[in-house]
Amino acid sequence: MILTKTIKSYAKINLYLNVGAKRPDGYHDLESVMQQVSLFDYVTVLRDTDTTQRGVRITCTDRLVPSDDRNIAAKCAMAFLDKYNIYSEVSVSIDKRIPVAAGLGGGSTDGAAVLSIMNSIFDVNAPMDELCALGAKLGADIPFCLVGGTCTASGIGEILTPVKTPVLPYHILICNAGHGVSTPEAYRKLDETAKEEPACAMDDVLRAVESGEMPETLYNSFERVILPEHAEAAQIRQTMLVCGADVALMSGSGPSVFGLFRNEDARDKAKDFFDMKGILAMPCEPVVKNIK
Ligand code: ATP
């Protein structure tokens, strides 16, 4: 018998990302406010209940993404089979819509989707913290993608705290001019430059999202090393503001840039403008989770 399930795997943006010094173990302390957004890939996992061979097959619609055991989703599938001692063949297929190596957590969200689907179609019903611990070994943002909504991340990103928010008062536009950024490379560049004073404190951004207000300022440490080398991304950031975004920022290690617009019409007009310039512009909304 074949069991199959498809879910949407949502991208993330960082409303705040302050990266500290490199620690002796090579990781970086950081503090971040992460927001899940309605831009998504489709992830399907198919379980063949007739085999007792352990194996993972993977296909992806994007040629930039490896369709073998280097794929984060394939790693997650294999780790799940190992952890729960399951002998079965699974096929994972990814319909890729989230730009790759773009600071939007595309690989992590596919990995999180695979863990979540397998937890259900193999009837394992592992608790969230167990899935997060498994995912954290394979992709930095997998725990956040499993929890979703709005979260703060601290420590080396592993301390995740869900943030209760009302409906958020903004519409999002994410732009990507291509030219992926390697996250390890971005960290290396940060280590080579002097630390700067963040433009605001994480608590300022947090207070705004908790009370359903537009944050006055956002901050991302990676902007200072990535934007000077990615003139198009820097230009997009400026243009977002000219087009009526209340605030704009690069997401994660870049080079995607997002704008938050109070006015949906202004967001849609900004999308038309970027379309006209031939720049990929993806309108989306914050994903809000009802947490108790
Ligand atoms: P983050 O914001 O979590 O640092 P990112 O959005 O910048 O990540 P990804 O899209 O996750 O970057 O891709 C990072 C690298 O991982 C790419 O080089 C890509 O080839 C590889 N990769 C492996 N599996 C996947 C996947 N399922 N989706 C996207 N990229 C993948």
Side-chain angles (χ1 to χ4, degrees), residues 12 64-66 70-72 94 96 99-108 110 141 183 253:
K12 60 87 188 168
L64 292 176
V65 176
R70 288 169 299 166
N71 194 298
I72 298 164
I94 302 167
K96 196 89 199 146
V100 178
L104 301 172
S108 288
D110 295 344
D141 293 330
T183 305
S253 51

Side-chain angles (χ1 to χ4, degrees), residues 131-153:
L131 286 187
C132 286
L134 184 59
K137 295 181 200 148
L138 303 164
D141 293 330
I142 292 181
F144 170 72
C145 295
L146 282 163
V147 173
T150 315
C151 287
T152 60

Side-chain angles (χ1 to χ4, degrees), residues 155-235:
I156 54 170
E158 85 289 12
I159 305 168
L160 214 54
T161 310
V163 178
K164 193 173 177 189
T165 67
V167 173
L168 294 166
Y170 37 76
H171 306 278
I172 305 168
L173 187 64
I174 300 176
C175 278
N176 187 282
H179 316 294
V181 167
S182 142
T183 305
E185 184 71 2
Y187 272 105
R188 198 185 52 71
K189 285 185 178 135
L190 262 191
D191 293 339
E192 287 169 357
T193 59
K195 176 116 181 66
E196 71 176 3
E197 197 53 42
C200 59
M202 182 166 90
D203 274 355
D204 300 338
V205 177
L206 196 54
R207 255 194 305 274
V209 286
E210 279 174 331
S211 50
E213 287 163 15
M214 176 68 77
E216 276 176 27
T217 320
L218 306 172
Y219 176 73
N220 180 354
S221 298
F222 284 110
E223 284 196 333
R224 76 173 186 275
V225 291
I226 301 299
L227 292 184
E229 291 181 4
H230 288 76
E232 269 183 309
Q235 182 68 52

